[in-house]
Amino acid sequence: MAFSVIGLQLVSALVSATFLFLMASGLSLIFGVCRVLNLAHGSFFMLGAFLAYSVTQVVATSLGTFWLALLLVPLATALLGALLEIVLIRRFYGANLLVQLMPMVALIYIISDFSRFVWGVSPGSVPVLGLFGTVSILELTFPAYYFVVLLASMVVAAGLWFVITKTRWGILVRAASQDREMSAACGVNQTRLFTTVYALATGLAGLAGVLAVPISGASLEMDMTTVVNAFVVVVVGGMGSVLGSMLAAILIGLVNAFGILILPQFEMTFVYALMALVLITRPTGLFGRE
Amino acid sequence: MSTKSMWVLVSLIALSSLNLAAAAPSGEPIVLGEIVSQSGPFAMFGAGHKGAQLAVEQVNAAGGVLGRPLQLLSHDDKSNPAEGTKLFRELASKNVLAVIGNSPSSVVFAANPLALELKTPYVISMGYTSVFTDKFSHRYFFRTITSDRVFAYAIAEHMAKQPATRYCTIGNDFAYGRSITAAVMGRLKELKPSVQIIPGCEFWVPPGQLDFTPQITAIMGQKPDALMFGGVVAISSDAFVKQAKAFGLFTKMVGVHPSLGMPTNNLGLQKADLPEGIMTGSDYPYPPVDSKANLAFFKAYKERWNERPYEVSAHSYATVYLLAKTIEKAGKVDREALVDTLPGMQFTHPSLGDASIRTIDHQSTSGWWLGYLAWDEKNNVVGLRDIKYMPGSNYLPTAEELRKIRGQ
Amino acid sequence: MNWLRLPARHPLLLGLLALLLICPLFLPQTYVVQLTDTLLFVLLAVSVNLLIGYGGMISLGHAAYFAIGGYTAGLLVTQAGMPMFIALLAGPLAAALAAALIGLFCVRVANAYFIMLTLAFGQLVYTVVWKWRALTGGDDGLVGVAPPAMLLSEIHYYYFTLVIILASLILIHRICDSPFGTTLKAIRDTPSRARSIGIDVGRFKLAAFTMAGFFAGIAGSLYVFHNRGIFPQSALWVTSTEIMLMAVLGGANHFVGPIVGAIFLKTLNFIIPRMTEFWMFFLGVVVLFIAFVMPRGMMDGYDGLRARLKKIRE
């Protein structure tokens, strides 16, 4: 196989992995700390994409408004996440996973139809890909924006790593995900911790939505397709492990990109097959604990 | 109903009462059922309902059918075939005369056999897959639009004259996606035997897929002369075109997509997203076709719904008019009489002009417009340039061919 | 006889049964189709409750067994020319077999991992159905499956379904009441204690998983004839979530809960889209409301209400 083909596939695998990682790390955090399966995570991703579309529509679409969206929209989804955590999700913490299913499904329904009401059925476009130009490495040409996405995800990954390992908040997060009762017994203000974790995770989902919109546009079905893939990543990586999510995202990106190259007719099956394989051999995922 | 549309309705009714030539329709309404995708991945087909509704209001304003008003009983199939079958049975069990369909091909696949079982006319104005009118054709099934065979054969003729021989293909993995890909490539190979699909360069993605990066890079790695991506439709085609443009895909190879010019396949695209020179077509091209019938439809639709019509709007609009005319001709409101009268009926489609329903397979003789993807500055939407009408009658199967396809 | 006591213990059930027996005679055909569909989901919700309510296992892949049952039955009729009754037997058996196989891996884990693993396998089944076009027809679905002439009429098929569903429900109820069901409940409540008194937890869970798959397969094979075909969407995780939602809405702690939940959700799904284009929004609001007011389901809310009324009277 030519070097150029492998190079192209490698970069596209990493770009796909970026979105998976941004989504999965948030899901994993929420599950690790709050013990909630945030089935509605994809809805925040979709909201992020649509909000970014609206922000860039207010003025003419330009790089300036896109950067503005990149700054504002994750804050907006984080705020919404915090709000929902306070008025809704919080009430279901004590309950088992089963009872949480109702509010989660309700949220998916409500956000989906709310978006259809506000933005209609036609997808929204933020045509800034061209404004970023292209990057040529040897004989390969890439849209420069893809490297912006890669860079952004690296910044997020580094930021997450720093926050979780070096700050007081991070210590609390780690403590809560290892033993919630003990950390509560030690006097940790869990209410505030949970709200901030939920806000951070939904903010990351919003960020993923903004970053995705120049590439794929904003459309109504993106919530469901994204959330399933993100769950796959979390499961393969191990629940509650951000590092696991990152490595699993890269693994799945690679499997998909090279799988397509070798057996294009089996697209779609690789990912699930990989997941089943990992779970059969390591039921708690690559980095998960029982 | 919004207040605005309410007013339009009221004024329409007022207008019709002023018009002495057209007496207000009275009596029990003639009910047409409609199965339409208003939510789910094909929610944009919901515009089909708006076209049908407009036609119903116009017909009623002009005196109705056989002196009776028309009425539309519409349900959302959620783009889901199982929901479609349930709705078809529900409508068939009611007093609807016929069921109009504005759904993706998967729903048509599911509902088509029920039309025969329940002896209820099913008249689709969306769903181009040719197999409905050849292999699965039956007495109660009609299609008022052209079939993918027409675009496939016409575009293949055009491509056969081009130098490209090494092709890649990509399509959504569903009935229409596969049907159009097979039809274009099959015809192209017949017309120009040197054409080949590069081994391993045939991609199938799930409907609704939005990230095409790995496929695009894989296609670029194969360096084909042309890419046939006609199977990529609805929200997927938007995303694909954007990403292809960013990679400069279509500066390195020719792009072929028979229906990218159709509004429901390019809804989210803006001027900056548009690659130049994609060979495509549409049965509702922008800028709107400059005919009296079409300009009137365009204006009425915009006034009624405060948005531009899509191809599916024009199709179902024409379909309701066709049904109204057929009922008048049959002289009675009866499913069997409708089915007996429909074959051979002439009708006018806003952008495609005069057409008729073929007796041998119950599909329309309308064709579609071939052209190159271009931005329509006036309406600020994706459009076509250098358009040329391709009449369906030149490409539709003959009775002989049909017999072969059906294995008779 | 044990099962005769069932309606007596659940007066709600008795009324419901009478309603189900009589009302199709007076309903327009439209609603009969709808009722048959609802009955099938009643069985699905009750079967998934074998997992949740008794085994404490939350499955987001239950639709897979529904689909396997449906596709097996449909394929036997269309491809192998088998008569309907053989298809109705083979469908559930195939579903049970698949559930036993998949269950082998799933029951090893608990809680969230169980949910995810069932979801993964469910999606795997979905993609296989979608991709194996030669056999399943892919997204075109498997169409042209019709019951014998005697059952073609909507009302005949309704009563046919009703009989099988009732028999299945009675069977499930007996299973739940048996020592097996009690053991399952013990496993749900305190798995560690159950293990310590020598119960082979894994084997019991696997048995429950297989049985749940079997009953989902019954629903699937009845569905394929009712609907004249089956489509890949029936295996999708969204369908599984809907089945789960039915069980939870109705109340997973009760035998009757999922029945109520299925009827409630199916009714809403029929009514709301006929009132508004934005049906999902309003459906969401209703579900959210119930989640707030009766987080343990409608039957629990009903019990609570009765208890409170009793207190007031006293």
Side-chain angles (χ1 to χ4, degrees):
Chain A
M1 212 174 286
F3 160 75
S4 63
V5 178
I6 295 175
L8 281 165
Q9 251 13 47
L10 202 62
V11 177
S12 76
L14 290 177
V15 171
S16 306
T18 293
F19 295 109
L20 291 174
F21 164 66
L22 288 177
M23 292 294 291
S25 55
L27 262 179
S28 191
L29 266 178
I30 293 182
F31 182 77
V33 177
C34 315
R35 295 279 182 267
V36 167
L37 265 186
N38 197 31
L39 284 176
H41 213 60
S43 307
F44 291 95
F45 173 74
M46 178 178 72
L47 272 183
F50 271 117
L51 286 173
Y53 169 68
S54 287
V55 170
T56 56
Q57 289 296 297
V58 173
V59 210
T61 305
S62 67
L63 277 188
T65 51
F66 178 69
W67 293 123
L68 189 70
L70 198 61
L71 190 72
L72 288 182
V73 172
L75 286 177
T77 53
L79 213 64
L80 179 73
L83 192 74
L84 284 174
E85 197 274 342
I86 291 168
V87 299
L88 181 69
I89 312 288
R90 180 177 290 177
R91 287 162 203 267
F92 297 93
Y93 280 150
N96 61 21
L97 292 169
L98 181 66
V99 175
Q100 294 165 1
L101 197 73
M102 278 195 279
M104 284 301 167
V105 174
L107 269 186
I108 293 176
Y109 283 175
I110 291 173
I111 295 178
S112 168
D113 248 8
F114 171 79
S115 308
R116 184 153 65 108
F117 179 74
V118 176
W119 289 286
V121 295
S122 48
S125 171
V126 180
V128 294
L129 277 184
L131 301 179
F132 280 93
T134 52
V135 174
S136 292
I137 308 167
L138 299 176
E139 51 174 316
L140 316 176
T141 307
F142 267 94
Y145 180 73
Y146 282 54
F147 292 97
V148 174
V149 173
L150 282 181
L151 195 70
S153 73
M154 281 185 233
V155 170
V156 169
L160 271 180
W161 174 80
F162 178 80
V163 166
I164 289 177
T165 54
K166 302 284 177 204
T167 64
R168 195 184 125 72
W169 184 82
I171 295 170
L172 297 182
V173 164
R174 277 182 296 150
S177 53
Q178 286 203 330
D179 192 332
R180 201 152 55 143
E181 285 72 31
M182 191 51 107
S183 87
C186 294
V188 174
N189 180 346
Q190 290 208 322
T191 321
R192 209 194 299 153
L193 178 68
F194 286 11
T195 313
T196 46
V197 164
Y198 204 83
L200 175 70
T202 49
L204 286 177
L207 175 69
V210 185
L211 284 173
V213 83
I215 297 177
S216 51
S219 62
L220 283 176
E221 294 294 307
M222 65 202 301
D223 53 348
M224 296 307 240
T225 40
T226 323
V227 76
V228 179
N229 291 336
F231 265 114
V232 172
V233 174
V234 174
V235 171
V236 170
M239 298 209 180
S241 163
V242 173
L243 178 68
S245 291
M246 189 161 91
L247 293 179
I250 294 173
L251 182 64
I252 285 178
L254 286 173
V255 164
N256 203 32
F258 286 95
I260 284 170
L261 218 51
I262 298 158
L263 290 167
Q265 64 273 34
F266 288 116
E267 150 113 48
M268 198 165 146
T269 29
F270 305 123
V271 172
Y272 294 118
L274 174 75
M275 170 158 79
L277 196 72
V278 168
L279 289 178
I280 288 166
T281 48
R282 271 191 71 94
T284 51
L286 296 176
F287 290 83
R289 295 175 306 264
E290 196 44 89
Chain B
M1 203 184 285
S2 70
T3 7
K4 188 167 173 172
S5 46
M6 198 72 153
W7 272 113
V8 175
L9 199 67
V10 168
S11 51
L12 266 175
I13 295 167
L15 261 175
S16 69
S17 62
L18 279 176
N19 186 350
L20 293 177
S26 62
E28 199 193 329
I30 301 171
V31 186
L32 297 176
E34 186 196 16
I35 298 178
V36 49
S37 301
Q38 288 173 310
S39 52
F42 291 91
M44 57 284 262
F45 290 168
H49 170 67
K50 295 177 176 168
Q53 184 62 34
L54 175 68
V56 165
E57 285 162 15
Q58 288 182 353
V59 166
N60 287 343
V65 179
L66 301 172
R68 289 164 60 180
L70 270 186
Q71 193 191 328
L72 207 55
L73 183 60
S74 216
H75 291 308
D76 176 13
D77 63 32
K78 306 169 190 173
S79 308
N80 179 348
E83 196 66 30
T85 54
K86 247 194 297 176
L87 290 175
F88 195 92
R89 293 161 86 177
E90 177 181 341
L91 289 170
S93 75
K94 290 183 174 166
N95 65 336
V96 304
L97 180 64
V99 177
I100 300 174
N102 288 312
S103 314
S105 48
S106 56
V107 173
V108 182
F109 250 109
N112 183 22
L114 283 170
L116 181 62
E117 183 189 325
L118 302 169
K119 298 191 175 16
T120 307
Y122 185 29
V123 187
I124 61 164
S125 46
M126 212 357 121
Y128 297 93
T129 314
S130 20
V131 71
F132 300 140
T133 47
D134 47 52
K135 221 160 109 201
F136 296 143
S137 160
H138 59 73
R139 174 173 162 82
Y140 297 92
F141 185 82
F142 298 86
R143 167 161 59 203
T144 61
I145 52 173
T146 189
S147 77
D148 54 12
R149 176 181 161 121
V150 173
F151 350 128
Y153 278 34
I155 215 159
E157 252 177 39
H158 190 87
M159 288 309 297
K161 292 177 198 143
Q162 311 282 322
T165 54
R166 299 174 71 246
Y167 279 74
C168 283
T169 66
I170 180 167
N172 287 127
D173 194 0
F174 79 128
Y176 172 78
R178 281 186 306 270
S179 172
I180 188 70
T181 308
V184 173
M185 296 317 294
R187 183 67 180 164
L188 197 51
K189 280 182 198 162
E190 269 172 36
L191 295 171
K192 188 177 179 179
S194 60
V195 165
Q196 57 143 334
I197 299 177
I198 299 172
C201 205
E202 215 171 335
F203 298 95
W204 296 107
V205 297
Q209 172 133 332
L210 296 175
D211 178 13
F212 290 94
T213 319
Q215 287 84 2
I216 289 175
T217 50
I219 291 167
M220 291 181 79
Q222 299 274 12
K223 299 199 170 67
D225 304 328
L227 173 69
M228 209 310 273
F229 65 115
V232 181
V233 295
I235 54 176
S236 286
S237 51
D238 275 35
F240 183 83
V241 167
K242 253 184 228 287
Q243 290 159 40
K245 159 103 180 182
F247 274 94
L249 190 73
F250 295 118
T251 60
K252 297 196 171 72
M253 61 195 76
V254 179
V256 188
H257 188 309
S259 64
L260 194 60
M262 295 189 190
T264 53
N265 287 335
N266 60 44
L267 280 176
L269 292 179
Q270 297 189 5
K271 194 178 175 185
D273 296 322
L274 229 54
E276 263 303 298
I278 289 181
M279 168 97 256
T280 184
S282 172
D283 43 17
Y284 201 85
Y286 274 86
V289 176
D290 192 12
S291 71
K292 214 175 130 192
N294 189 42
L295 294 179
F297 163 73
F298 186 76
K299 189 161 165 270
Y301 191 92
K302 271 195 118 169
E303 275 169 14
R304 175 68 178 87
W305 299 110
N306 203 19
E307 63 183 41
R308 68 180 173 120
Y310 303 161
E311 79 281 12
V312 62
S313 331
H315 297 336
S316 58
Y317 176 84
T319 303
V320 169
Y321 266 102
L322 165 66
L323 289 175
K325 200 171 156 191
T326 312
I327 302 166
E328 287 280 0
K329 193 178 171 203
K332 58 179 169 180
V333 182
D334 177 73
R335 287 179 184 173
E336 296 301 323
L338 185 81
V339 170
D340 286 333
T341 320
L342 257 173
M345 282 297 293
Q346 305 268 333
F347 69 106
T348 307
H349 183 286
S351 57
L352 303 173
D354 292 337
S356 62
I357 297 294
R358 306 205 318 164
T359 48
I360 48 171
D361 56 4
H362 292 185
Q363 68 175 316
S364 155
T365 58
S366 1
W368 118 123
W369 298 88
L370 183 71
Y372 291 93
L373 203 66
W375 189 252
D376 172 5
E377 295 286 351
K378 185 162 167 264
N379 294 290
N380 219 14
V381 294
V382 177
L384 292 183
R385 65 176 159 79
D386 306 327
I387 58 170
K388 198 172 154 204
Y389 187 65
M390 300 279 142
S393 40
N394 292 1
Y395 303 100
L396 288 172
T398 60
E400 181 65 27
E401 278 176 278
L402 270 177
R403 260 195 299 280
K404 228 184 266 162
I405 296 169
R406 289 171 183 162
Q408 286 166 339
Chain C
M1 289 226 286
N2 181 33
W3 62 271
L4 273 179
R5 289 207 311 272
L6 176 64
R9 256 193 287 162
H10 303 284
L12 247 178
L13 258 190
L14 198 65
L16 201 66
L17 187 63
L19 213 65
L20 285 175
L21 274 174
I22 301 164
C23 69
L25 296 173
F26 304 99
L27 281 176
Q29 219 179 24
T30 311
Y31 299 98
V32 179
V33 173
Q34 205 60 40
L35 267 181
T36 313
D37 193 53
T38 307
L39 280 181
L40 297 173
F41 275 83
V42 163
L43 181 57
L44 278 173
V46 172
S47 72
V48 85
N49 200 33
L50 256 178
L51 298 179
I52 327 164
Y54 296 89
M57 301 176 272
I58 307 171
S59 165
L60 280 185
H62 204 55
Y65 312 107
F66 172 65
I68 290 172
Y71 272 101
T72 307
L75 284 170
L76 281 178
V77 171
T78 53
Q79 303 291 314
M82 296 275 183
M84 180 180 175
F85 80 95
I86 289 187
L88 285 186
L89 282 176
L93 287 178
L97 192 68
L101 265 177
I102 294 174
L104 268 181
F105 301 109
C106 294
V107 298
R108 293 194 299 166
V109 294
N111 301 326
Y113 283 102
F114 181 85
I115 301 183
M116 293 294 99
L117 202 50
T118 48
L119 183 124
F121 276 111
Q123 288 296 97
L124 194 61
V125 169
Y126 166 73
T127 46
V128 168
V129 168
W130 187 285
K131 281 283 172 187
W132 198 351
R133 289 183 50 73
L135 184 72
T136 62
D139 68 300
D140 300 345
L142 179 68
V143 290
V145 188
M150 206 178 71
L151 290 172
L152 264 180
S153 112
E154 311 289 7
I155 198 141
H156 289 177
Y157 200 81
Y158 169 80
Y159 282 111
F160 178 70
T161 308
L162 186 64
V163 169
I164 297 183
I165 300 280
L166 281 181
S168 307
L169 291 185
I170 290 166
L171 200 60
I172 295 177
H173 189 262
R174 287 202 64 169
I175 291 172
C176 294
D177 253 9
S178 68
F180 174 78
T182 324
T183 315
L184 273 183
K185 260 186 261 181
I187 291 174
R188 176 196 64 188
D189 295 336
T190 42
S192 51
R193 196 178 300 163
R195 204 169 280 127
S196 69
I197 57 167
I199 296 173
D200 187 345
V201 171
R203 236 168 78 196
F204 269 90
K205 282 188 162 182
L206 183 60
F209 201 85
T210 309
M211 273 189 258
F214 177 79
F215 287 108
I218 293 185
S221 18
L222 283 170
Y223 174 85
V224 74
F225 290 100
H226 168 60
N227 199 41
R228 309 291 190 265
I230 188 162
F231 311 94
Q233 277 94 335
S234 60
L236 198 59
W237 76 283
V238 178
T239 314
S240 299
T241 311
E242 207 176 287
I243 300 170
M244 280 294 301
L245 189 63
M246 288 169 174
V248 189
L249 268 181
N253 297 325
H254 289 252
F255 182 76
V256 195
I259 301 179
V260 174
I263 294 176
F264 179 72
L265 204 63
K266 274 282 163 191
T267 312
L268 285 185
N269 255 322
F270 182 77
I271 297 173
I272 301 181
R274 279 163 181 72
M275 290 160 55
T276 163
E277 195 186 325
F278 297 97
W279 54 273
M280 266 208 282
F281 180 86
F282 292 97
L283 195 63
V285 170
V286 173
V287 173
L288 203 56
F289 174 78
I290 293 176
F292 263 105
V293 185
M294 300 172 270
R296 309 204 129 259
M298 295 162 76
M299 279 312 291
D300 233 73
Y302 170 76
D303 281 353
L305 201 69
R306 266 209 325 201
R308 213 178 296 167
L309 279 177
K310 209 169 150 193
K311 231 185 213 162
I312 293 170
R313 252 182 272 149
E314 281 163 6

